[in-house]
Amino acid sequence: MKIPFVSFAPMQKELKKEMIKKFEEMYEKAYYIQGEEYDKFEKKFANYIGTKYAVGVGNGLDALMLILRAMNIGAGDEVIVPSNTFIATALAVTYVGATPVFVEPTLEEYNINPNLIEEKITNKTKAIIAVHLYGQCADMDRINEIAKKYNLKVIEDAAQAHGALYKGRKAGSLGDAAGFSMYPGKNLGALGDGGMVTTNDEELAYKVKALCCYGSDYKYHHIYKGVNSRLDEIQAGFLSIKLDYLEKWNADRNKIAKMYLEGINNPKIKLPVIDKNNYHVWHIFAIRCDKRDELEKYLAEKGIGTNKHYPTPMHLQGAYADLNIKKGSLPLAEEISNTELSLPMYYGMADEEINYVINAINEF
C-alpha cells in the first residue's frame, strides 16, 4: 500500500464543481486585486475567528512581519519566539530589524514554555510571539499574564492552527493580533500563497491594511513606507468556499488522530499530548522516536510517506549564525529536531490506510 504524507485529492474532488464555478464568476468580473471576494473573505474570516477585523495579505510570513511593523517594533528591539518552530516566525522579527530571542518548548505539547519566558525578558523586549505549533494552542492565559506584567504585545503565529480552540476561543483571537498562513498544505489552504492578520485593534488593522498595499490608505496616497503583500482576489474567493468546510475537515483530522493515539502501542514511540484546555486541529501529527531516522526509512520501505518538523532548529541554521547560539544551548529544540517524525495526516484518509500506518509503527 502507498500512503503519501499528504494528499489534496479527496478535498479537491469534493470541491471541484464549486471551485470552478467560483473561478468562472471571478474570471468574468475581471477584478483580480482587493475586490468583492477579498472584502467578503476578510469579513467572513474575522467572523469565524471571533475578531472585529481581518486583513488579507500575501502569506503567513508577511502577516507576522506586518503586525510587528504596525506595532512599531524594529531596530534595537527584542521579540520572544519559541526555539522550536518553522523559521518564518523568527524571520518576521528579523525583517523589521529586531532580534529574535529563543525560549524553549515543553516536550509534551511542543509549544513555548511560559515558565521560561520571564528570564529572557530585558528592557529591549517588546513582544512575545506564541506559535500554536502543529495545530494546538500555546498556554495563552499564562503568556498574556506575563505580557501584561511587562507591558508587552502578544502576537499569535496561528499558521498551523486554523480552527483550533483554547478554552473555547479560537486561535487568532487570543492576543493583540495574529498571523495566519494560507499555504496550500495548511488546514485552510489556498491554491497558492496567502495570509491573514486578525485583531480587535482598529488602529492596527488600519495600519496593516495600508502597509500591505504600498503604505497607501487610498490610491496614490502613501502614509507609510509599505510593501506589496496582498491576498489575491481569486485566492480569497477560493478560501471563502473552503472556510465553509474547515470544521468538517478538522473533525476528520481529529478522527484520524484519535485512531493513531488509541492504536499506536510501541514503547519506542512518544505520542503527542493534548492539553485539556485545547481543541487540537492536527495540522501535523508529530511523534518522537530516538531511532527516528531508522523509523523514517522503515516506513518509506512500506510505502508510508513522512516528514520532519523540523530537522534543524533555527539557532543552528546558517541564517542565524550571527546570533552565535552554540549547539547544546537550546537542548529541547535540538532533541525535538533529532527525534520528531510527522505521520500522514490529511482529510479523507481511509480507515484502512490509517490502520496500515498504525500496524507498521507497532511492528517497528
Side-chain angles (χ1 to χ4, degrees):
M1 186 178 291
K2 290 281 187 181
I3 302 173
F5 173 66
V6 67
S7 172
F8 302 134
M11 182 189 300
Q12 288 171 331
K13 184 178 180 181
E14 286 186 13
L15 295 181
K16 185 174 181 180
K17 289 182 180 177
E18 218 173 332
M19 297 286 268
I20 290 174
K21 181 182 176 184
K22 176 59 66 175
F23 174 76
E24 288 174 345
E25 288 174 9
M26 293 186 289
Y27 190 83
E28 291 301 321
K29 287 179 182 177
Y31 201 117
Y32 306 123
I33 299 290
Q34 293 184 326
E36 290 178 6
E37 296 292 341
Y38 175 84
D39 291 340
K40 175 185 171 184
F41 181 60
E42 284 186 333
K43 291 181 176 69
K44 190 172 181 177
F45 194 75
N47 184 62
Y48 174 77
I49 297 299
T51 55
K52 292 180 182 177
Y53 309 101
V55 181
V57 299
N59 54 70
L61 170 56
D62 283 359
L64 295 175
M65 179 271 290
L66 289 163
I67 291 168
L68 290 164
R69 282 200 60 185
M71 291 177 171
N72 298 315
I73 294 171
D77 296 332
E78 294 177 350
V79 177
I80 302 288
V81 301
S83 60
N84 176 51
T85 184
F86 183 54
I87 198 170
T89 313
L91 286 175
V93 177
T94 303
Y95 283 2
V96 299
T99 300
V101 176
F102 299 123
V103 171
E104 289 272 74
T106 70
L107 278 180
E108 288 73 40
E109 293 89 13
Y110 305 121
N111 283 320
I112 192 169
N113 186 342
N115 297 325
L116 303 178
I117 290 175
E118 287 192 78
E119 65 190 53
K120 294 293 185 77
I121 293 173
T122 71
N123 59 6
K124 296 180 179 179
T125 309
K126 294 296 186 292
I128 302 167
I129 299 182
V131 179
H132 306 318
L133 197 67
Y134 303 151
Q136 177 163 221
C137 291
D139 188 351
M140 293 305 296
D141 281 357
R142 285 281 293 118
I143 291 166
N144 281 318
E145 180 185 327
I146 294 165
K148 185 176 180 181
K149 180 178 177 180
Y150 292 95
N151 194 30
L152 306 177
K153 296 292 188 181
V154 175
I155 301 165
E156 298 171 75
D157 181 339
Q160 300 183 2
H162 309 73
L165 298 176
Y166 174 81
K167 296 186 176 180
R169 294 173 59 198
K170 284 210 171 67
S173 68
L174 305 169
D176 293 294
F180 287 84
S181 166
M182 273 71 176
Y183 178 79
K186 304 299 186 188
N187 291 35
L188 180 65
L191 303 190
D193 258 325
M196 187 69 79
V197 171
T198 56
T199 185
N200 287 314
D201 185 331
E202 182 179 12
E203 183 180 350
L204 186 140
Y206 175 84
K207 193 169 182 181
V208 169
K209 191 91 164 178
L211 284 168
C212 77
C213 190
Y214 302 100
S216 174
D217 54 348
Y218 59 89
K219 196 165 186 177
Y220 302 135
H221 186 260
H222 305 274
I223 52 177
Y224 307 113
K225 295 182 179 73
V227 298
N228 178 18
S229 179
R230 299 168 296 197
L231 180 64
D232 287 346
E233 179 79 351
I234 287 174
Q235 298 300 345
F238 291 152
L239 286 164
S240 190
I241 290 172
K242 296 180 90 174
L243 183 56
D244 291 335
Y245 293 84
L246 179 59
E247 292 294 312
K248 174 187 173 182
W249 296 338
N250 283 342
D252 191 61
R253 287 173 176 268
N254 268 273
K255 184 207 81 170
I256 298 165
K258 187 172 187 287
M259 290 180 68
Y260 280 155
L261 290 168
E262 293 177 353
I264 295 172
N265 183 21
N266 184 328
K268 300 184 187 71
I269 305 300
K270 297 179 181 69
L271 292 168
V273 175
I274 309 171
D275 184 272
K276 67 181 188 300
N277 294 315
N278 286 322
Y279 174 68
H280 202 316
V281 293
W282 302 104
H283 174 61
I284 298 295
F285 191 94
I287 62 172
R288 288 194 296 121
C289 179
D290 291 334
K291 297 181 178 180
R292 189 266 310 278
D293 294 345
E294 290 179 37
L295 176 60
E296 179 184 33
K297 183 180 177 183
Y298 162 81
L299 292 175
E301 289 170 352
K302 288 187 169 290
I304 299 170
T306 58
N307 208 333
K308 297 188 283 286
H309 295 91
Y310 300 93
T312 304
M314 293 178 293
H315 67 285
L316 299 181
Q317 298 277 4
Y320 282 108
D322 59 311
L323 296 180
N324 295 312
I325 301 174
K326 304 301 181 187
K327 188 174 182 179
S329 299
L330 296 167
L332 298 187
E334 292 174 29
E335 180 176 342
I336 293 168
S337 289
N338 290 332
T339 59
E340 191 277 340
L341 191 68
S342 304
L343 300 184
M345 170 61 73
Y346 53 89
Y347 170 72
M349 279 187 77
D351 288 358
E352 181 186 11
E353 294 172 318
I354 301 162
N355 285 320
Y356 181 77
V357 175
I358 291 168
N359 291 335
I361 291 173
N362 287 342
E363 291 168 5
F364 176 69

